[in-house]
Amino acid sequence: MDKKYFIKTYGCQMNFYDSNRLRKLLNKEGFFEVNSIEDSDIIILNTCSVRKHAEDRAFSFLSSIKSIKNNKIFCVIGCTPSIYKDKIFEKLDFVDIICGPNSYKKFVSTLKNYSGGKTSIFEEDENLLNEVNETEIKEKISSFVTITKGCENFCSYCVVPYARGKLVSKPENVIIDEIKILIDKGVKEIFLIGQNVNEYGKDIGENFVELLYKIHEIEGILRIGFLTSHPKDISNELINSFSELPKLYKHLHLPLQSGSNKILNLMNRKYTVERYLEIIEMVREKCPGISITSDIIVGFPYEEEIDFEETYKIVEKIKFDDLYVFKYSPRPLTKASKFPDNVPKEEKEKRHKIILNLQDKISLLRNKEMEGKIDEIFIRKKSYKIKNAYIGRTLNNKPVIIENVNVKEGEIIKVEIKKGERHYLYGILI
């Protein structure tokens, strides 16, 4: 068997981190990546099942390329196989190998010795989080680092506990060693990722905020961020860290999901709207200028017009810097999948559009408030659309375009914000 592979990734930051880790494992075993499916011998699709849309896109892509199969090995990995298991072979009979997100070492071993036939891989790799996971660096100066896998919150709409298993934290010393390796490779910006980073360490007697402070001391790091936080686990210590750690992005992504306590209860979110508002007030008081982003689900079962209006009012009140709005879709195995999906599709579309339109206005306003301010910008990459321009991030993690500058990726420069638009700020070098 030839060893040319093509990998395509759908889903969240965890999936992209997993794909980079898998690249490293494959490359160590003599496989090498190609940029087109036609040139590959092995086609790997890393999938997400958190939302039906991502799942449908992955299946659609696979179906669109089945005509080129010939002797190619088709592999579906990630969250979707964990949910559907061997039913994937029934749905997509041209797929050869399926593998869950906790079994990539075994996946590579299987590929090395593969001689044909339908193969399922779900046995968890040994020492999955107890050893340093080296990843291929796709961006030279920025990298994700997974600090937990799985989740045990069982929000009623969420498939993650079934797809990725229970919460398991990576030991602190392993995380720090992994980051030091990345720094040695030229990485300057680290994003810690997990389904709920605030719960990091509760299974192994360690603490997320203490981890943040230790990472902050690592020589060579210029910026640190993290995703995602759960409102029920926000601590005063974490809130304080935004003002106490200069390298930490002044940005908090805090999913709200709904502005109705009735819906939050049905979602099993374990906090109230009132508590969420308290957190926002504390964070903004402790760290003025912090950017706050969130997630909203519209059309959840039993969401009546009054519930949606409450969500609208909360979004209007809080004025998030940005918002990710999703139309509810039932996910297999979840508690909510047993509820009636009783908000019509047309109504979901309508509510989705209303919230997005509101957020467009708020985001533009929030970005215009940045005009005239001077900020330290971390330079990420060259702009692909604008000649002689770079894209960077403000200290509160907003994207900035700077034109006609002689800078390098991974530098921090002082910039005056001259213009704020819906999605980007525009600045000039001071």
Side-chain angles (χ1 to χ4, degrees):
M1 179 189 74
D2 289 326
K3 293 186 173 183
K4 294 180 290 184
Y5 70 91
F6 173 87
I7 186 166
K8 188 173 179 67
T9 307
Y10 292 90
C12 67
Q13 292 89 350
M14 300 280 283
N15 284 48
F16 283 91
Y17 173 89
D18 287 347
S19 288
N20 285 341
R21 175 172 170 256
L22 179 58
R23 285 183 174 98
K24 191 74 174 181
L25 294 171
L26 286 166
N27 295 347
K28 276 186 175 180
E29 295 298 333
F31 295 83
F32 61 96
E33 187 173 10
V34 294
N35 294 321
S36 74
I37 54 176
E38 289 80 11
D39 293 337
S40 66
D41 307 301
I42 305 158
I43 296 172
I44 303 168
L45 206 63
N46 191 353
T47 59
C48 173
S49 274
V50 171
R51 294 180 180 87
K52 189 174 185 298
H53 179 63
E55 188 180 279
D56 289 345
R57 284 174 61 213
F59 285 153
S60 176
F61 173 76
L62 269 175
S63 297
S64 74
I65 63 171
K66 68 178 179 180
S67 62
I68 67 163
K69 182 169 174 59
N70 295 325
N71 294 320
K72 298 181 191 296
I73 301 170
F74 277 49
C75 310
V76 179
I77 68 172
C79 294
T80 304
S82 289
I83 300 303
Y84 295 104
K85 301 292 196 294
D86 288 356
K87 289 181 180 178
I88 290 177
F89 294 134
E90 299 172 16
K91 185 178 180 69
L92 304 165
D93 61 1
F94 52 90
V95 169
D96 302 294
I97 301 173
I98 62 173
C99 174
N102 302 322
S103 312
Y104 292 150
K105 283 186 179 179
K106 291 181 173 62
F107 173 69
V108 174
S109 175
T110 298
L111 272 182
K112 278 180 65 181
N113 304 296
Y114 185 70
S115 58
K118 305 291 186 189
T119 304
S120 305
I121 309 165
F122 294 105
E123 183 185 351
E124 187 168 306
D125 292 334
E126 294 179 8
N127 301 318
L128 181 61
L129 293 185
N130 289 321
E131 58 186 31
V132 173
N133 288 327
E134 291 192 53
T135 62
E136 288 295 324
I137 307 300
K138 302 302 284 183
E139 290 186 39
K140 294 179 182 178
I141 49 89
S142 182
S143 183
F144 297 121
V145 173
T146 293
I147 64 171
T148 66
K149 81 167 188 70
C151 181
E152 297 170 69
N153 287 318
F154 290 96
C155 299
S156 66
Y157 54 83
C158 185
V159 77
V160 168
Y162 310 98
R164 290 188 173 264
K166 67 179 183 179
L167 173 77
V168 181
S169 300
K170 186 185 291 185
E172 184 182 273
N173 63 303
V174 175
I175 295 170
I176 289 173
D177 286 347
E178 189 171 325
I179 291 172
K180 286 179 177 178
I181 289 171
L182 291 169
I183 298 298
D184 288 342
K185 292 179 178 178
V187 169
K188 306 285 187 185
E189 176 188 64
I190 295 292
F191 277 90
L192 308 174
I193 55 174
Q195 300 301 331
N196 175 13
V197 292
N198 305 115
E199 289 189 305
Y200 168 79
K202 78 173 191 180
D203 56 323
I204 57 173
E206 294 182 1
N207 178 274
F208 177 59
V209 177
E210 290 175 7
L211 175 69
L212 272 182
Y213 277 77
K214 289 178 181 177
I215 291 172
H216 193 271
E217 295 173 3
I218 297 175
E219 188 175 348
I221 283 187
L222 297 182
R223 287 286 183 265
I224 306 165
F226 58 85
L227 294 165
T228 290
S229 295
H230 194 301
K232 76 177 180 65
D233 298 306
I234 290 286
S235 66
N236 290 336
E237 290 76 18
L238 180 61
I239 293 171
N240 291 338
S241 71
F242 286 113
S243 57
E244 294 176 359
L245 299 179
K247 299 176 187 177
L248 181 64
Y249 274 116
K250 314 312 174 194
H251 170 242
L252 178 64
H253 185 73
L254 194 65
L256 171 61
Q257 306 300 12
S258 176
S260 161
N261 283 330
K262 181 189 88 176
I263 299 300
L264 287 176
N265 185 51
L266 287 169
M267 290 178 167
N268 194 35
R269 289 292 286 170
K270 302 183 179 73
Y271 57 84
T272 63
V273 172
E274 290 74 22
R275 172 57 183 158
Y276 189 94
L277 288 170
E278 284 178 7
I279 295 168
I280 298 299
E281 185 177 348
M282 286 190 294
V283 170
R284 284 179 168 161
E285 182 179 346
K286 192 68 181 179
C287 186
I290 192 171
S291 67
I292 301 174
T293 57
S294 192
D295 297 339
I296 294 288
I297 297 173
V298 297
F300 191 78
Y302 304 108
E303 183 188 70
E304 300 175 284
E305 187 64 31
I306 189 171
D307 301 304
F308 175 71
E309 288 173 3
E310 288 176 351
T311 297
Y312 185 95
K313 288 175 183 176
I314 289 298
V315 171
E316 201 173 33
K317 178 183 178 71
I318 292 175
K319 292 182 172 57
F320 295 108
D321 289 82
D322 214 337
L323 198 59
Y324 303 89
V325 188
F326 304 97
K327 293 166 282 190
Y328 172 75
S329 59
R331 298 285 71 219
L333 307 178
T334 63
K335 183 177 179 180
S337 67
K338 299 177 175 62
F339 298 162
D341 188 12
N342 55 2
V343 179
K345 180 182 177 181
E346 297 76 16
E347 188 62 29
K348 289 179 185 176
E349 297 278 359
K350 174 186 166 187
R351 294 175 187 180
H352 183 256
K353 186 176 181 180
I354 288 171
I355 294 292
L356 283 179
N357 287 342
L358 172 62
Q359 187 58 46
D360 282 345
K361 295 173 185 175
I362 294 171
S363 292
L364 177 60
L365 179 66
R366 298 286 288 175
N367 284 347
K368 283 201 166 295
E369 289 172 354
M370 297 281 291
E371 291 177 355
K373 294 185 178 180
I374 294 171
D375 208 331
E376 292 187 339
I377 309 301
F378 178 82
I379 300 298
R380 277 246 183 107
K381 58 187 178 182
K382 285 185 177 180
S383 171
Y384 297 117
K385 295 183 178 180
I386 303 174
K387 191 176 180 180
N388 298 325
Y390 281 82
I391 298 175
R393 291 270 164 175
T394 63
L395 192 52
N396 64 358
N397 201 23
K398 293 194 176 206
V400 186
I401 294 174
I402 310 109
E403 298 183 59
N404 301 315
V405 287
N406 183 22
V407 296
K408 294 179 182 178
E409 295 173 6
E411 279 188 321
I412 291 179
I413 61 173
K414 278 197 173 182
V415 166
E416 181 181 356
I417 306 301
K418 301 300 287 185
K419 185 179 181 182
E421 293 187 350
R422 164 61 181 93
H423 295 288
Y424 283 95
L425 303 172
Y426 293 82
I428 59 170
L429 180 68
I430 294 185

